[in-house]
Amino acid sequence: MSLIQDVISRVHEKETGQPEFLQAVQEVLTSLEPTAIKHPDFVKAKIYDRIVIPDRAILFRVPWVDDSGEVQINRGFRVQFNNAIGPYKGGLRFHNSVNLGIIKFLGFEQIFKNSLTTLPMGGAKGGADFDPKGKTDNEVMRFCQAFMRELYRHIGPNTDVPAGDIGVGGREIGFLYGYYLKIVNANNSVLTGKGLEYGGSLIRPEATGYGAVYFAAEMLATRGQQIDSKSAAVSGSGNVAQYTVEKLNQLGAKTITLSDSNGTIVDEAGIDTDKLEFVFELKNHRRGRISEYADKYKVPYYADKTVWEVIKEQNLKVDLAFPSAHENEIHKAEAEAMVKNGCYCISEGANMPSDLEAVQVFLDNHVLYGPGKAANAGGVAVSGLEMSQNAMRMSWSREEVDQKLQVIMKNIHASTLEASEEYGCKGNYVVGANIAGFLKVAKSMLAYGIV
Ligand code: NDP
């Protein structure tokens, strides 16, 4: 058995009950095999064994009182995975499904993603098994305050800078930051994704979705193609999905799907700017369900189906796919149906939305497949730019930030492609992203000695 397979087996043995974390470790480490051959010093210093164990994982109780006066208790997490190249950085997820394994998978992925951006950011992730859906603003505020009551002691502008993720948008960041200010008495920009009025960056809400489209454009360019006039499937209808559709519209593509945890809509005429305005209002203000889109625009709605199941069952044809909801939403059968129906470019807005078998289908069929850690890195990249602006006590214009985002996505694409070529898998963005992200972190860990 190879050294890397040995490390993977040990993780399997020790970290039972964490399937998403095991999946992420298996995907990343398997593609790092060639680095172990080229860098015996990494092997000697046991970098591979060390990188799969977080620096620390914090688990805490979050007690709060709901509107009816009842005490509620949730579990809060912050996993500070690796700070070799910069302060810990990574979002907070509030969703029923959150557990230690999910936060570890996200934190582990974040190490390599943040490194790919070329900005000095380590990897971390956090969250709670609390779902803001169906809660009043006051309940969400009380929860956020209770969560920050513990989290504040573990974070800091040079230590750990959290941001948003599923279930944590502008409203939640406002409540979290407001309470941090109250108890720490330091307006030190310890979160990103802040409102523009109190230190946020222009383009941060748009960054992940825009970045995923910029990444797709780079992949298409390698085959002499562009986004214009392509058809696209987008899943989810939250932050990432919304701005993916906005950028696709701006670049002349037609998006025909959106979804939420209750079902999927298909609009063959395309989700144009007016319809997207309706989605913004529906999801960000009224916090309603995507089925209302189908009612309003008289288009098909598939209850309890994902976008990818609908593509398979209805034989929907799209050129491009932007999975933008959650992990493991695409399995082997759906991936096969996507390829069969002509989809040849997948740019992942979500983290690990394709399971290992689905990824293999994409690779075997030589479609352009941009894994999340490269394709969705635009979000954390602009978070990094928000940190820079805060540190300089100034702010850049919309155009400046968008320009920097485009350059960063272009560079991520180029370094990913280069690494894939250098390590003998030209055009395999999975191998390229993992290796390009890993090397900088591994070399830093090596320089620090055994710590
Ligand atoms: P949001 O909470 O804004 O939106 C999430 C969307 O996905 C919603 O439509 C939600 O539906 C749907 N969804 C979430 N969980 C499930 C589930 N278990 N089953 C079905 N549908 C689900 O989150 P974001 O848009 O911020 O995040 C989406 C993905 O992008 C995640 O994988 C996240 O980790 C990743 N990401 C986000 C970044 C960011 O900057 N926000 C940065 C990089 C990656 P419903 O409303 O019904 O819950």
Side-chain angles (χ1 to χ4, degrees), residues 276-336:
L276 185 60
E277 265 316 306
F278 171 79
V279 175
F280 280 123
E281 167 61 25
L282 173 71
K283 285 292 174 182
N284 305 345
H285 301 291
R286 286 198 286 120
R287 300 182 190 275
R289 311 311 302 157
I290 201 67
S291 58
E292 289 183 45
Y293 182 106
D295 297 338
K296 183 168 169 66
Y297 295 108
K298 309 277 176 281
V299 299
Y301 173 67
Y302 299 91
D304 301 322
K305 297 276 180 203
T306 67
V307 166
W308 322 109
E309 288 167 336
V310 173
I311 286 188
K312 177 164 76 82
E313 289 164 18
Q314 305 298 318
N315 275 318
L316 274 189
K317 297 205 180 318
V318 287
D319 303 309
L320 320 175
F322 295 86
S324 310
H326 60 99
E327 58 277 3
N328 291 331
E329 48 177 305
I330 305 180
H331 310 99
K332 185 177 183 207
E334 289 105 57
E336 285 169 346

Side-chain angles (χ1 to χ4, degrees), residues 213 216-231 248 251-253 319-320 344-345 368:
V213 178
E218 290 298 315
M219 289 196 291
L220 286 170
T222 64
R223 297 194 183 170
Q225 299 201 29
Q226 52 197 22
I227 298 276
D228 184 30
S229 76
K230 300 288 187 298
S231 59
L248 285 168
L251 297 182
D319 303 309
L320 320 175
Y344 60 89
C345 176
L368 296 165

Side-chain angles (χ1 to χ4, degrees), residues 34-84:
T35 63
I37 297 163
K38 213 167 175 172
H39 297 275
D41 44 351
F42 291 172
V43 175
K44 187 154 184 280
K46 299 215 166 158
I47 298 291
Y48 302 94
D49 301 71
R50 284 155 62 188
I51 206 162
V52 295
I53 302 176
D55 291 346
R56 64 194 65 78
I58 301 146
L59 163 65
F60 52 100
R61 183 175 65 241
V62 189
W64 57 283
V65 180
D66 71 17
D67 284 352
S68 66
E70 194 176 328
V71 176
Q72 301 286 341
I73 298 144
N74 289 96
R75 283 172 169 70
F77 303 89
R78 186 70 181 167
V79 174
Q80 297 176 332
F81 226 112
N82 188 301
N83 66 352

